[in-house]
């Protein structure tokens, strides 16, 4: 009897526990091993939904690695968790954002601050100072009706227009200290080429023209072109080239023309001068001449050396864009840009090469470190002892100091740039300046300019003055 009472008590406790459970769970617990009619996918979805809801209610974090949650649901859950600081956001706007695809959501963002775009705009708005163009020392600008091509220790070369013929006339006036034959008379000759640069040396003057235009023979082909109809410029150029080849002048160069005018000769007068045409498209940017040599720098970054007899010698690559070339005695110096752009304050970054004008050997090379901050090069030349000197736009004269030699203009020792004269303190007004001509006998021979003038008047040669060198 006692055992029956215990069984009745157990049944009563089982019935009470079953009643406390949900009907579905109670029936499942009572049935024991009853098989579920739901598909595995449905069961996983229900399980994941139950876990998510329970985690939100109880603020419990579950490890996705231990629970088999579908990938799509797991991604949505991660986005919702990252967008909800407290893990709860049931607003309609949040539910709407959850339904937007990821690519559309990022395409429709309202953030107008793009750091990359802002950096790009800052770079595009920032402009570096321009590179200094090539120039000829001690010359006046191109385009003037009368201009100075060169003024150095030999003399002055003036280019003026002949009112009768329309061509230019070249006038050469020699200085008393030029070291030439005593009583040398001035020289004048006609410029039939169109000189833009010139230089004077011990044996003669060297001149060069701009690019030779090939439009001079257009009239010869006009009648033939009329019968060919409308054609492009490229086709026209090809037809002209074929026509020139047919008549035997296809190899004619259209680059700059170099002309050497010899002062004296022991041979025939007709053979004392020579002319050389550079290859097609090569423009002369500067020229210089000395004892037994002549040189030009070109737009192709080439230094072309010639003998005074007109024979081309070494052709040397210039390390950067050419700025100027000067020469005296046996030496030729080339100044070039050693950077693609100046410094931010406008200081030109230049280099120099000191070369033997006859054999083309490099004697010295390096940085032209004698440019003041924010300045550019305005003059270069050799002293009477063949020391390379330069002046910048701030009026600072510097010299490449080399060890002395028994024979002037023959030392091959490298040196350092030393400031030799600061002309700023010698000005009477801030608008005054000094236009250098040469350095002779420890003094700077120059033309004083007043009232903001940048160069002297070529019509009447002004009087020069000398400034003793003094290290600042």
């Amino acid at each position: 009897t006692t055992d029956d009472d215990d069984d009745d008590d157990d049944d009563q406790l089982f019935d009470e526990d079953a009643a406390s459970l949900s009907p579905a769970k109670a029936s499942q617990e009572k049935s024991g091993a009853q098989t579920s009619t739901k598909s595995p996918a449905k069961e996983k979805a229900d399980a994941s939904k139950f876990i998510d809801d329970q985690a939100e209610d109880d603020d419990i974090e579950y490890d996705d690695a231990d629970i088999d949650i579908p990938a799509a649901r797991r991604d949505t859950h991660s986005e919702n968790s990252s967008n909800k600081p407290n893990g709860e956001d049931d607003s309609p706007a949040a539910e709407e954002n959850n339904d937007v695809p990821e690519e559309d959501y990022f395409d429709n963002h309202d953030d107008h601050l793009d750091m990359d775009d802002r950096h790009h705009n800052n770079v595009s708005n920032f402009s570096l100072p321009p590179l200094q163009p090539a120039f000829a020392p001690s010359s006046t600008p191109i385009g003037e009706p009368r201009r100075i091509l060169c003024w150095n220790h030999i003399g002055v070369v003036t280019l003026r227009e002949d009112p009768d013929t329309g061509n230019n006339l070249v006038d050469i006036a020699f200085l008393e200290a030029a070291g030439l034959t005593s009583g040398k008379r001035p020289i004048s000759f006609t410029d039939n080429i169109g000189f833009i640069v010139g230089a004077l040396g011990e044996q003669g003057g060297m001149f060069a023209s701009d690019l030779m235009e090939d439009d001079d023979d257009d009239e010869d082909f006009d009648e033939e072109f009329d019968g060919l109809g409308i054609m492009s410029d490229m086709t026209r150029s090809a037809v002209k080239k074929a026509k020139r080849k047919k008549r035997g002048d296809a190899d004619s160069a259209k680059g700059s023309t170099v002309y050497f005018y010899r002062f004296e000769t022991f041979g025939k007068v007709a053979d004392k001068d020579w002319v050389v045409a550079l290859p097609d498209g090569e423009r002369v940017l500067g020229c210089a001449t000395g004892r037994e040599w002549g040189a030009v720098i070109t737009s192709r970054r080439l230094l072309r050396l010639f003998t005074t007899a007109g024979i081309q010698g070494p052709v040397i690559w210039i390390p950067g864009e050419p700025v100027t070339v000067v020469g005296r005695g046996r030496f030729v110096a080339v100044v070039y840009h050693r950077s693609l752009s100046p410094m931010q304050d406008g200081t030109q970054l230049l280099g120099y090469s000191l070369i033997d004008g006859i054999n083309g050997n490099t004697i010295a090379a390096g940085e032209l470190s004698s440019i003041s901050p924010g300045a550019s090069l305005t003059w270069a030349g050799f002293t009477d002892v063949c020391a390379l000197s330069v002046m910048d736009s701030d009026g600072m004269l510097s010299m490449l100091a080399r060890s002395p030699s028994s024979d002037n203009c023959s030392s091959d020792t490298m040196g350092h740039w030393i400031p030799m004269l600061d002309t700023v303190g010698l000005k009477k007004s801030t608008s005054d300046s000094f236009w250098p001509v040469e350095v002779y006998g420890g003094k700077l021979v120059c033309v004083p300019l007043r009232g903001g003038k940048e160069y002297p008047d070529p019509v009447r040669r002004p009087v020069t003055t000398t400034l003793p060198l003094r290290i600042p």
Side-chain angles (χ1 to χ4, degrees):
T1 306
T2 305
D3 294 338
D4 295 339
D5 295 338
D6 294 337
D7 293 338
D8 295 340
D9 294 338
D10 293 339
D11 294 339
Q12 184 177 1
L13 292 174
F14 176 79
D15 294 339
E16 292 177 357
D17 293 338
S20 62
L21 298 175
S22 61
K25 292 182 180 181
S27 60
Q28 181 178 2
E29 186 173 348
K30 287 183 180 181
S31 59
Q34 183 180 357
T35 304
S36 175
T37 59
K38 296 182 179 180
S39 63
K42 182 64 175 178
E43 289 180 357
K44 288 184 177 181
D46 294 340
S48 61
K49 184 176 186 304
F50 172 77
I51 293 172
D52 291 342
D53 295 341
Q54 192 70 17
E56 292 180 1
D57 295 338
D58 300 337
D59 196 13
I60 301 176
E61 297 182 358
Y62 288 88
D63 190 357
D64 291 346
D66 299 332
I67 302 174
D68 189 8
I69 303 177
R73 180 61 179 171
R74 186 183 299 117
D75 294 340
T76 305
H77 174 68
S78 301
E79 290 182 8
N80 293 342
S81 300
S82 62
N83 293 334
K84 301 176 185 180
N86 297 326
E88 297 181 2
D89 189 2
D90 297 333
S91 62
E95 294 178 0
E96 183 178 356
N97 287 336
N98 292 337
D99 296 335
V100 178
E102 182 177 356
E103 58 274 11
D104 295 340
Y105 174 76
F106 286 103
D107 289 342
N108 295 331
H109 71 86
D110 195 20
D111 186 7
H112 298 286
L113 180 60
D114 194 337
M115 299 300 293
D116 293 336
D117 293 343
R118 187 177 66 176
H119 175 72
H120 175 72
N121 293 335
N122 290 339
V123 172
S124 61
N125 293 334
F126 178 76
S127 60
L128 291 173
L131 289 176
Q132 177 181 357
F135 72 98
S138 301
S139 65
T140 56
I142 299 177
E144 299 289 336
R146 188 180 184 122
R147 56 185 297 254
I148 297 175
L149 291 181
C150 174
W151 191 347
N152 59 8
H153 63 286
I154 298 295
V156 183
V157 182
T158 306
L159 189 68
R160 59 185 176 88
E161 183 178 354
D162 187 358
D164 298 332
T165 62
N167 295 328
N168 291 330
L169 294 177
V170 178
D171 298 328
I172 302 177
F174 297 96
L175 303 180
E176 295 179 359
L180 302 177
T181 305
S182 133
K184 185 73 175 177
R185 295 183 179 181
I187 298 175
S188 295
F189 61 93
T190 303
D191 171 22
N192 296 319
I193 301 176
F195 300 143
I196 59 172
V197 292
L200 292 178
E202 287 80 359
Q203 294 176 295
M206 199 162 194
F207 307 90
S209 70
D210 202 351
L211 293 179
M212 302 298 293
E213 299 292 341
D214 58 355
D215 296 334
D216 297 338
D217 55 352
D218 282 349
E219 297 180 358
D220 300 337
F221 300 116
D222 284 344
E223 296 181 359
E224 301 181 28
F225 286 155
D226 291 341
L228 298 178
I230 300 175
M231 62 181 65
S232 63
D233 294 339
M234 183 178 297
T235 305
R236 182 182 294 268
S237 177
V239 172
K240 290 169 60 177
K241 184 177 181 180
K243 295 293 183 181
R244 285 193 294 265
K245 182 177 181 181
K246 185 176 180 180
R247 67 185 189 184
D249 59 351
D251 295 332
S252 61
K254 296 301 179 182
S256 295
T257 300
V258 180
Y259 175 73
F260 184 82
Y261 184 91
R262 190 185 302 274
F263 296 148
E264 297 177 357
T265 181
F266 294 102
K268 297 180 180 180
V269 177
D271 297 337
K272 72 183 183 67
D273 304 333
W274 52 266
V275 179
V276 173
L278 298 186
D280 214 4
E282 188 170 357
R283 175 185 283 108
V284 171
L285 302 178
C287 63
T289 180
R291 188 177 298 121
E292 302 294 339
W293 63 268
V296 295
I297 54 175
T298 71
S299 57
R300 299 181 63 183
R301 283 178 44 209
L302 294 177
L303 170 66
R304 295 183 177 270
L305 296 174
F306 301 89
T307 67
T308 53
I311 301 174
Q312 180 168 274
V315 180
I316 304 172
W317 280 107
I318 302 174
E321 292 296 327
V323 176
T324 191
V325 58
V326 293
R328 185 166 182 171
R330 190 168 177 170
F331 295 122
V332 55
V334 179
V335 180
Y336 56 87
H337 288 283
R338 59 181 177 87
S339 176
L340 296 177
S341 62
M343 300 179 65
Q344 294 185 6
D345 61 354
T347 305
Q348 300 292 322
L349 301 176
L350 306 177
Y352 76 95
S353 294
L354 188 61
I355 300 172
D356 190 314
I358 297 178
N359 55 33
N361 293 334
T362 300
I363 299 171
E367 298 180 1
L368 191 63
S369 56
S370 56
I371 304 298
S372 303
S376 59
L377 185 67
T378 57
W379 179 83
F382 285 93
T383 67
D384 54 337
V385 294
C386 288
L388 181 60
S389 303
V390 297
M391 178 178 279
D392 60 23
S393 56
D394 279 359
M396 179 68 73
L397 177 68
S398 302
M399 185 180 299
L400 182 63
R402 300 180 288 121
S403 61
S405 175
S406 58
D407 182 16
N408 288 340
C409 303
S410 63
S411 176
D412 57 355
T413 304
M414 297 180 63
H416 303 279
W417 289 101
I418 299 176
M420 300 301 297
L421 178 64
D422 187 2
T423 62
V424 174
L426 303 177
K427 299 179 181 179
K428 296 181 179 180
S429 173
T430 56
S431 60
D432 295 344
S433 61
F434 298 94
W435 199 73
V437 173
E438 64 166 327
V439 178
Y440 180 82
K443 298 179 181 180
L444 173 64
V445 181
C446 58
V447 177
L449 300 177
R450 311 296 183 190
K453 293 182 179 180
E454 298 181 357
Y455 52 87
D457 186 4
V459 176
R460 52 178 185 177
R461 193 174 67 185
V463 179
T464 60
T465 186
T466 57
L467 303 176
L469 301 184
R470 182 179 58 186
I471 297 178

